[in-house]
C-alpha cells in the first residue's frame, strides 16, 4: 500500500507523538473525557516510524491498534501524559501534541464509587498545559501543536503559536463537515511563527499525517 511507503526523512531522529483524549477520574469507575478518537495522532506516529524516526507514542485510551515499529506509552490523565512526555523530552527532536488534553480535572477524585443522590456537583481545577510547559524549556526540540476550533481558526491559531512557543500548529475548523473528530478525513492549515500559513485541501488523515511528517522533517 502506498501509504505504508518507507522513507529516510526522519532517520536518526526521535519523535514523541501524543494522541487520544485524556481521561480525568471522577471515581474508580467514571471519568470526564472528550470526543477524540486518536486517529490523527496514530496516523502521525505510523508515518513518523515509516520515515525512520524512533517514535514514542504517548497515548490516552483509544480503540486503535498501535502502529508497527512504535514504542507505546499508555496514559490516562493529562497529569500522567505530562509526566511521560517530560521523561523523554531531553532526548527527543520533536514533540507532536495531537492529544486532546482535558483542560480541567476533578479537584479530588473519590476513592470509592459515588452513590446516586438528588444533587451532585463536581469541583474542577485547571490541568497543566503540557505543550506550554515544553515551550518554556525548549532547547533543541521542535514543537508541533494542534488546535480544533469552531471559529476564527487562524487568529486563535496564531495566538497559540506565540503563547506556547511552537514551531508549527496544525489547525482545523471542526464546524466543517469531514474535518476533525472521529472521521477518517481532515482539512487543516499549518500555521508557523511569523506570517506564514499553508492551507491543505480535504484529504485522508493518512495523507495529512504524511504532510505533517514532511513539514516536521523540513523544520
Ligand atoms: N494542550 C496541552 N495541555 C493542555 C491543553 C492543551 O498540551 N492542558 C495542547 C494540545 O495537545 C494541543 C494544543 O495544546 O496541541 C492546543 O490545545 P487547545 O485545546 O486547542 O488549546 P488550549 O490552550 O487548551 O486553549 P482552548 O482549549 O481554550 O482553546
Ligand atoms: Ca483546550
Amino acid at each position: 500500500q502506498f501509504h505504508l511507503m518507507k522513507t529516510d526523512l526522519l532517520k536518526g531522529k526521535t519523535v514523541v507523538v501524543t494522541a487520544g483524549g485524556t481521561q480525568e477520574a471522577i471515581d474508580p469507575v467514571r471519568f470526564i473525557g472528550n470526543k477524540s478518537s486518536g486517529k490523527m495522532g496514530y496516523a502521525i506516529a505510523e508515518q513518523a516510524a515509516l520515515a525512520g524516526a524512533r517514535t514514542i507514542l504517548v497515548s490516552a485510551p483509544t480503540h486503535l491498534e498501535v502502529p508497527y515499529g512504535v514504542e507505546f506509552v499508555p496514559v490516562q490523565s493529562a497529569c500522567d501524559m505530562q509526566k511521560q512526555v517530560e521523561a523523554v523530552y531531553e532526548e527527543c527532536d520533536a514533540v507532536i501534541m495531537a492529544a486532546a488534553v482535558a483542560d480541567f480535572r476533578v479537584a479530588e477524585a473519590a476513592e470509592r464509587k459515588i452513590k446516586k443522590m438528588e444533587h451532585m456537583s463536581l469541583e474542577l481545577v485547571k490541568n497543566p498545559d503540557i505543550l506550554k510547559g515544553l515551550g518554556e524549556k525548549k532547547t533543541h526540540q521542535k514543537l508541533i501543536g494542534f488546535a480544533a476550533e469552531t471559529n476564527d481558526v487562524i487568529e486563535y491559531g496564531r495566538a497559540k503559536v506565540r503563547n506556547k512557543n511552537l514551531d508549527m500548529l496544525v489547525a482545523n475548523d471542526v464546524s466543517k463537515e469531514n474535518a476533525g473528530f472521529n472521521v477518517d478525513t481532515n482539512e487543516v492549515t499549518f500555521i508557523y511563527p511569523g506570517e506564514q500559513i499553508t492551507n491543505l485541501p480535504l484529504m485522508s488523515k493518512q495523507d495529512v499525517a504524511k504532510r505533517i511528517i514532511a513539514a516536521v522533517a523540513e523544520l
Side-chain angles (χ1 to χ4, degrees):
Q1 280 168 295
F2 177 66
H3 74 261
L4 293 177
M5 212 162 62
K6 282 190 188 168
T7 67
D8 282 337
L9 275 176
L10 291 176
K11 201 175 165 187
K13 304 290 183 190
T14 298
V15 175
V16 173
V17 181
T18 68
T22 64
Q23 299 185 351
E24 309 298 324
I26 296 170
D27 70 15
V29 296
R30 305 183 178 102
F31 61 84
I32 297 175
N34 63 64
K35 289 187 179 179
S36 171
S37 65
K39 283 176 181 168
M40 194 63 249
Y42 276 56
I44 293 165
E46 179 174 54
Q47 292 302 324
L50 286 168
R54 174 187 173 208
T55 306
I56 303 168
L57 175 60
V58 180
S59 177
T62 72
H63 297 291
L64 304 171
E65 217 179 294
V66 179
Y68 179 76
V70 164
E71 292 172 37
F72 187 62
V73 181
V75 297
Q76 295 205 323
S77 67
C79 290
D80 296 341
M81 182 172 278
Q82 180 180 45
K83 197 169 130 201
Q84 296 299 334
V85 172
E86 292 199 340
V88 289
Y89 191 44
E90 187 48 46
E91 56 190 293
C92 72
D93 298 290
V95 179
I96 305 176
M97 280 289 305
V101 182
D103 290 329
F104 302 96
R105 69 175 179 277
V106 177
E108 266 184 283
E111 273 171 37
R112 295 169 159 202
K113 184 182 166 193
I114 298 170
K115 298 306 283 182
K116 178 160 64 189
M117 51 191 128
E118 285 310 314
H119 299 281
M120 162 74 178
S121 59
L122 288 171
E123 188 190 346
L124 303 182
V125 295
K126 198 168 177 244
N127 264 332
D129 188 325
I130 303 170
L131 194 51
K132 189 163 192 232
L134 299 177
E136 281 162 5
K137 56 186 175 197
K138 176 159 88 172
T139 54
H140 60 284
Q141 297 90 347
K142 298 297 171 189
L143 291 184
I144 295 84
F146 277 72
E149 309 281 1
T150 55
N151 55 282
D152 305 298
V153 180
I154 305 299
E155 200 180 318
Y156 284 134
R158 286 198 204 283
K160 284 174 186 171
V161 169
R162 274 196 310 276
N163 294 338
K164 303 188 193 223
N165 193 18
L166 305 182
D167 298 284
M168 180 177 138
L169 181 87
V170 180
N172 67 334
D173 183 341
V174 289
S175 70
K176 278 188 189 162
E177 227 177 307
N178 302 320
F181 292 122
N182 246 308
V183 291
D184 292 317
T185 53
N186 211 352
E187 186 175 340
V188 304
T189 302
F190 295 166
I191 302 175
Y192 296 92
E195 293 298 290
Q196 200 198 335
I197 68 166
T198 307
N199 281 306
L200 302 189
L202 182 70
M203 57 178 86
S204 69
K205 285 189 176 174
Q206 208 72 246
D207 285 331
V208 174
K210 275 195 253 176
R211 298 287 291 263
I212 289 169
I213 290 305
V216 171
E218 281 294 317
L219 289 171

